[in-house]
């Protein structure tokens, strides 16, 4: 009799565990479907690992520079942005993975003469080439100004 009660108890506990696992797996599957992993990345027009890159937004040329070069994971870098004439005191750059979700890495931008500077550290990734998007935000809202760059394992 005791064995029968123990078996029923264990079966019930196992059922609960399985239901919880199914719920979490479905939740993760839905999330992964929203953030696809890109297999083939188009080459970038400009490589921030080698030079200063300039993009045009609403008729204004904005230049981006990241140092030191090459850009590596788990190392402190500085991003410098010139040509951005936003007078807000709440500017930040948000780094997000393009070909894999890596979370958002946020850096406040400080005015330094005619440029904005921010310090950041990128996460380590198991992929050989990770593409990041560095997007400018003003008061937590996107300005639509961004640049993409690659982080390659060396």
């Amino acid at each position: 009799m005791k064995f029968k009660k123990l078996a029923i108890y264990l079966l019930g506990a196992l059922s609960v565990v399985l239901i919880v696992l199914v719920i979490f797996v479905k939740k993760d599957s839905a999330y992964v479907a929203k953030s696809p992993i890109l297999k083939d990345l188009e080459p970038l027009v400009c490589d921030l690992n080698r030079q200063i890159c300039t993009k045009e937004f609403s008729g204004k040329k904005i230049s981006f520079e990241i140092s030191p070069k090459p850009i590596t994971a788990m190392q402190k870098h500085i991003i410098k942005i010139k040509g951005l004439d936003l007078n807000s005191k709440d500017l930040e750059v948000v780094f997000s993975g393009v070909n894999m979700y890596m979370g958002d890495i946020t850096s406040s931008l400080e005015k330094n003469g005619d440029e904005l500077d921010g310090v950041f550290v990128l996460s380590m990734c198991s992929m050989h080439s990770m593409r990041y998007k560095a997007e400018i935000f003003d008061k937590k809202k996107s300005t639509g100004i961004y640049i993409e760059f690659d982080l390659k394992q060396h």
Side-chain angles (χ1 to χ4, degrees):
M1 193 68 173
K2 286 183 181 181
F3 177 74
K4 191 173 183 179
K5 284 184 180 181
L6 180 63
I8 291 171
Y9 174 73
L10 288 175
L11 189 59
L14 183 61
S15 298
V16 170
V17 169
L18 287 173
I19 290 169
V20 169
L21 284 174
V22 167
I23 290 169
F24 281 108
V25 168
K26 284 193 175 210
K27 180 181 175 185
D28 284 345
S29 298
Y31 178 75
V32 170
K34 291 179 185 175
S35 56
I37 296 174
L38 305 176
K39 302 262 186 222
D40 300 312
L41 297 174
E42 293 291 322
L44 295 170
V45 174
C46 186
D47 185 358
L48 277 173
N49 282 283
R50 296 182 183 188
Q51 64 197 45
I52 296 171
C53 296
T54 303
K55 288 185 75 176
E56 192 169 315
F57 294 92
S58 302
K60 295 180 183 179
K61 291 187 180 197
I62 312 292
S63 67
F64 299 85
E65 179 181 11
I66 295 179
S67 60
K69 293 173 180 45
I71 304 165
T72 56
M74 306 309 292
Q75 180 180 351
K76 184 166 65 169
H77 290 280
I78 298 171
I79 185 166
K80 296 181 179 192
I81 303 163
K82 290 184 180 177
L84 191 64
D85 60 355
L86 297 174
N87 292 323
S88 176
K89 292 184 181 181
D90 193 16
L91 292 174
E92 57 190 8
V93 61
V94 176
F95 298 88
S96 56
V98 173
N99 55 327
M100 179 184 280
Y101 180 73
M102 298 288 291
D104 291 333
I105 300 162
T106 303
S107 173
S108 296
L109 291 170
E110 302 293 327
K111 191 153 181 69
N112 185 10
D114 66 340
E115 68 185 25
L116 295 166
D117 298 341
V119 177
F120 66 96
V121 176
L122 296 174
S123 303
M124 180 70 77
C125 180
S126 61
M127 296 179 70
H128 175 344
S129 184
M130 178 68 195
R131 180 148 308 160
Y132 278 94
K133 178 180 185 179
E135 187 171 6
I136 313 274
F137 281 73
D138 183 4
K139 296 182 180 101
K140 306 291 183 199
K141 292 184 181 178
S142 174
T143 62
I145 300 169
Y146 70 92
I147 193 159
E148 292 183 355
F149 60 93
D150 290 335
L151 173 84
K152 295 181 181 173
Q153 288 190 22
H154 299 280

